[in-house]
Amino acid sequence: MKNFLIILLSVLLFQVMSAQQKDAKKIINDVINKFEKIKDYEVDIDVKLDMTGIKVPNMKAKLYFKQPDKIQVKSDGFAMLPKQSTNFSPSQFLQGDYTSVYVKTENIDGHNLDIVKIIPDSDSSDVVLSTLWIDVTDHVIRKFETTSKKSGTVTTELKYNKENQGLPSEIAFSFNAGNTELPQQLKGQNENDGNRRRSGQNISGSVIMKYSNYKINKGIPDSIFEEKKQD
């Protein structure tokens, strides 16, 4: 019995020491360093949006990105793309001063994932808490959950293909924004299809975005990101 207790205490001590050896900032920096190897890319996006009480047709768009933060989305007609879909950079979670905490490592669908929580230090930040599930081997974010004051909680899962150099092939969102004012574009669309929705109603739903035809590090001119002047 005494030997069993010694072994058990040794295992528990090893687990504690292993957890302490995990540096949350290093885990995040490994993701950032991998992403920064992508100087620019363009990609086609197919979007399927399902929102409570709102009919939105499937959409197509083309996304352009250039380091460090230039983004342009082009689409025919109306496209309501979530902000997360136009920014794969892990730095989106690291705005301003923050505290990062390593929680644990767990295996999900055959992937060992480090779970890291990011807490903004400023009370003025819209984001309250972000939780990242980071692939230990591939150094990519496979899941994240963000809670903000204005938009509620959004849970996002990402899938990857090896040939995309760490850029996602599919992103699935689920969200519950609570009682939120709808964008004007959606109000107008609902009026046209006869499904008018009162502002202030609970908004929830899901989005599935599939990415294809990546062109990575081919060189994108800055003119792509310039705003066109309205006549």
Side-chain angles (χ1 to χ4, degrees), residues 173-187:
F173 301 82
S174 60
F175 58 90
N176 189 338
N179 294 330
T180 303
E181 180 73 13
L182 285 176
Q184 188 60 43
Q185 297 96 324
L186 277 181
K187 292 178 182 177

Side-chain angles (χ1 to χ4, degrees), residues 51-57 78 182-198 201:
M51 294 179 66
T52 53
I54 301 173
K55 292 182 179 179
V56 181
F78 168 68
L182 285 176
Q184 188 60 43
Q185 297 96 324
L186 277 181
K187 292 178 182 177
Q189 183 166 331
N190 285 345
E191 288 172 1
N192 291 335
D193 66 18
N195 290 318
R196 296 190 61 181
R197 179 189 180 91
R198 296 191 307 273
Q201 269 188 273

Side-chain angles (χ1 to χ4, degrees), residues 151-210:
S151 302
T153 298
V154 177
T155 301
T156 306
E157 296 186 11
L158 302 91
K159 296 181 180 179
Y160 298 86
N161 293 330
K162 291 183 178 180
E163 61 268 23
N164 292 341
Q165 301 181 39
L167 295 173
S169 58
E170 181 177 315
I171 296 181
F173 301 82
S174 60
F175 58 90
N176 189 338
N179 294 330
T180 303
E181 180 73 13
L182 285 176
Q184 188 60 43
Q185 297 96 324
L186 277 181
K187 292 178 182 177
Q189 183 166 331
N190 285 345
E191 288 172 1
N192 291 335
D193 66 18
N195 290 318
R196 296 190 61 181
R197 179 189 180 91
R198 296 191 307 273
S199 62
Q201 269 188 273
N202 184 273
I203 298 176
S204 61
S206 63
V207 184
I208 296 177
M209 311 186 68
K210 295 185 177 181

Side-chain angles (χ1 to χ4, degrees), residues 45-198:
I45 313 174
D46 289 308
V47 186
K48 181 179 180 181
L49 176 61
D50 181 13
M51 294 179 66
T52 53
I54 301 173
K55 292 182 179 179
V56 181
N58 292 354
M59 299 172 285
K60 294 182 180 291
K62 184 177 285 290
L63 169 66
Y64 299 86
F65 172 86
K66 189 173 185 178
Q67 292 282 13
D69 56 5
K70 291 182 179 179
I71 295 174
Q72 180 67 272
V73 178
K74 295 186 178 181
S75 63
D76 294 329
F78 168 68
M80 191 184 75
L81 301 179
K83 290 182 180 180
Q84 292 92 333
S85 68
T86 59
N87 187 3
F88 303 147
S89 173
S91 62
Q92 66 174 295
F93 303 104
L94 310 177
Q95 304 298 322
D97 296 329
Y98 64 91
T99 299
S100 59
V101 179
Y102 166 76
V103 179
K104 62 179 179 178
T105 301
E106 64 181 15
N107 187 284
I108 299 177
D109 296 331
H111 301 286
N112 288 324
L113 308 180
D114 286 333
I115 302 176
V116 175
K117 291 188 180 292
I118 298 174
I119 307 165
D121 292 340
S122 173
D123 292 337
S124 61
S125 172
D126 179 52
V127 175
V128 177
L129 173 68
S130 295
T131 304
L132 313 181
W133 284 257
I134 298 174
D135 193 299
V136 173
T137 302
D138 293 336
H139 307 299
V140 294
I141 298 171
R142 291 195 175 272
K143 179 180 176 181
F144 63 88
E145 184 174 278
T146 301
T147 300
S148 65
K149 298 173 185 175
K150 295 181 181 178
S151 302
T153 298
V154 177
T155 301
T156 306
E157 296 186 11
L158 302 91
K159 296 181 180 179
Y160 298 86
N161 293 330
K162 291 183 178 180
E163 61 268 23
N164 292 341
Q165 301 181 39
L167 295 173
S169 58
E170 181 177 315
I171 296 181
F173 301 82
S174 60
F175 58 90
N176 189 338
N179 294 330
T180 303
E181 180 73 13
L182 285 176
Q184 188 60 43
Q185 297 96 324
L186 277 181
K187 292 178 182 177
Q189 183 166 331
N190 285 345
E191 288 172 1
N192 291 335
D193 66 18
N195 290 318
R196 296 190 61 181
R197 179 189 180 91
R198 296 191 307 273

Side-chain angles (χ1 to χ4, degrees), residues 18-30 100-102 114 116:
S18 297
Q20 291 175 342
Q21 289 173 357
K22 289 277 189 175
D23 184 339
K25 287 192 175 182
K26 182 183 184 306
I27 295 170
I28 295 169
N29 285 336
D30 286 342
S100 59
V101 179
Y102 166 76
D114 286 333
V116 175

